[in-house]
């Protein structure tokens, strides 16, 4: 069990993974901090109702996606951000182009996300990370690192982002996180972040030792009006 404290105020208690995710929200100002160490009863009730609604919606979406597309979406994902941009959809395709959460080690796969912009955003950054089952970040990249930037994304526009990877992780179970972030006035801003959005199974008959660079090749294209 882990207890999360912020300036002497207890914000939460739970598993290491839950509290690490909450801690990351605190760092970017996206965690609801109680006044005088306590949430108002109305706020606490509202937070519980929102959590239940989100859980039901995510469970339904996860069940549907796992049956229809082969992508196992995690109903317990954590989502937060300003919502100036929203990740509308996300999935993985295998070497044959099929949507799947099971990838054979050594083969190519693509990590996709579709982002809708509610506001004009200068130089948005699209990112992904992969964690192991204990919550340790193993690898990841973003369009800033890969020098594949969009200068300005306009309100109402959608972008399709694809990270092409050679799957070099060992056989096992992993969690994929996605994000759309940026900088405003020099300050880092999270527009939409999905922690542990997709469960990934890497299938391998030969595991070596260590974690490898994913050697990303990234494409970003603007979605057309007819898409």
């Amino acid at each position: 069990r882990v207890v999360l404290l912020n300036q002497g105020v207890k914000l939460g208690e739970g598993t290491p993974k839950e509290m690490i995710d909450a801690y990351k929200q605190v760092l970017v100002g996206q965690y609801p901090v109680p006044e005088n160490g306590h949430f108002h009863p109305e706020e606490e009730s509202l937070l519980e109702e929102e959590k239940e609604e989100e859980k039901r919606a995510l469970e339904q979406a996860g069940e549907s996606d796992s049956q229809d597309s082969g992508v196992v979406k995690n109903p317990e994902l954590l989502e937060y951000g300003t919502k100036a941009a929203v990740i509308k959809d996300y999935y993985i395709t295998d070497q044959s182009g099929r949507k799947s959460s099971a990838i054979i080690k050594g083969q190519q796969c693509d990590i996709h996300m579709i982002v809708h912009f509610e506001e004009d955003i200068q130089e948005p950054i699209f990112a992904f990370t992969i964690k192991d089952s204990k919550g340790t970040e193993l690898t990841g990249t973003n369009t800033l690192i890969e020098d594949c930037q969009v200068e300005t994304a306009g309100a109402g526009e959608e972008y399709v982002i694809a990270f092409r990877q050679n799957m070099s992780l060992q056989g096992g179970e992993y969690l994929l996180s996605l994000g759309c972030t940026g900088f405003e006035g020099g300050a880092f801003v999270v527009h939409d972040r999905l922690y542990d959005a997709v469960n990934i199974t890497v299938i391998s008959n030969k595991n070596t030792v260590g974690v490898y660079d994913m050697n990303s090749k990234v494409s970003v294209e603007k979605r057309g009006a007819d898409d």
Side-chain angles (χ1 to χ4, degrees):
R1 304 289 291 178
V2 171
V3 173
L4 175 62
L5 301 177
N6 183 43
Q7 297 181 351
V9 176
K10 180 179 177 180
L11 298 186
E13 179 178 351
T15 66
K17 177 188 174 302
E18 291 171 339
M19 293 301 99
I20 288 172
D21 287 343
Y23 168 70
K24 290 177 179 179
Q25 285 181 272
V26 172
L27 291 180
V28 294
Q30 295 289 340
Y31 193 88
V33 178
E35 295 180 8
N36 302 320
H38 300 281
F39 288 108
H40 292 303
E42 297 84 357
E43 293 175 336
E44 194 164 10
S45 176
L46 181 59
L47 285 171
E48 289 302 320
E49 289 178 8
E50 289 177 349
K51 287 179 182 178
E52 287 300 318
E53 288 179 3
E54 289 175 1
K55 185 176 181 181
R56 285 194 295 269
L58 289 169
E59 285 174 347
Q60 292 173 358
E63 181 180 353
S64 173
D65 285 320
S66 62
Q67 292 175 349
D68 297 339
S69 69
V71 176
V72 182
K73 293 186 177 180
N74 181 11
E76 297 182 358
L77 67 81
L78 171 67
E79 181 174 9
Y80 63 91
T82 67
K83 299 303 180 182
V86 178
I87 300 173
K88 288 182 57 178
D89 196 13
Y90 49 92
Y91 52 92
I92 304 169
T93 53
D94 63 16
Q95 189 163 284
S96 300
R98 295 185 297 256
K99 291 183 179 180
S100 177
S101 290
I103 305 298
I104 297 175
K105 181 181 174 183
Q107 290 194 359
Q108 176 183 293
C109 65
D110 293 271
I111 296 170
H112 306 260
M113 62 173 151
I114 300 172
V115 181
H116 178 83
F117 287 85
E118 301 290 344
E119 303 174 12
D120 294 346
I121 296 178
Q122 298 292 322
E123 299 181 343
I125 301 169
F126 308 104
F128 84 88
T129 58
I130 295 177
K131 297 191 289 188
D132 64 16
S133 58
K134 296 180 180 178
T136 303
E137 290 187 345
L138 301 177
T139 188
T141 191
N142 62 52
T143 49
L144 177 61
I145 294 172
E146 302 296 338
D147 194 23
C148 189
Q149 283 288 84
V150 174
E151 289 187 8
T152 303
E157 294 179 347
E158 286 188 359
Y159 284 79
V160 180
I161 301 92
F163 296 89
R164 174 153 292 179
Q165 311 296 147
N166 186 57
M167 180 52 74
S168 298
L169 291 172
Q170 312 295 359
E173 300 296 325
Y174 302 92
L175 290 163
L176 172 70
S177 299
L178 302 163
C180 178
T181 63
F183 291 89
E184 293 181 2
F188 180 70
V189 178
V190 175
H191 298 302
D192 197 13
R193 183 173 279 171
L194 304 178
Y195 270 125
D196 305 339
V198 177
N199 297 84
I200 302 174
T201 300
V202 178
I203 303 168
S204 173
N205 59 6
K206 181 184 177 182
N207 282 333
T208 56
V209 178
V211 179
Y212 295 92
D213 184 349
M214 298 296 282
N215 298 312
S216 299
K217 294 180 182 179
V218 187
S219 68
V220 178
E221 59 184 56
K222 190 174 183 178
R223 167 161 282 191
D226 295 330
D227 290 348

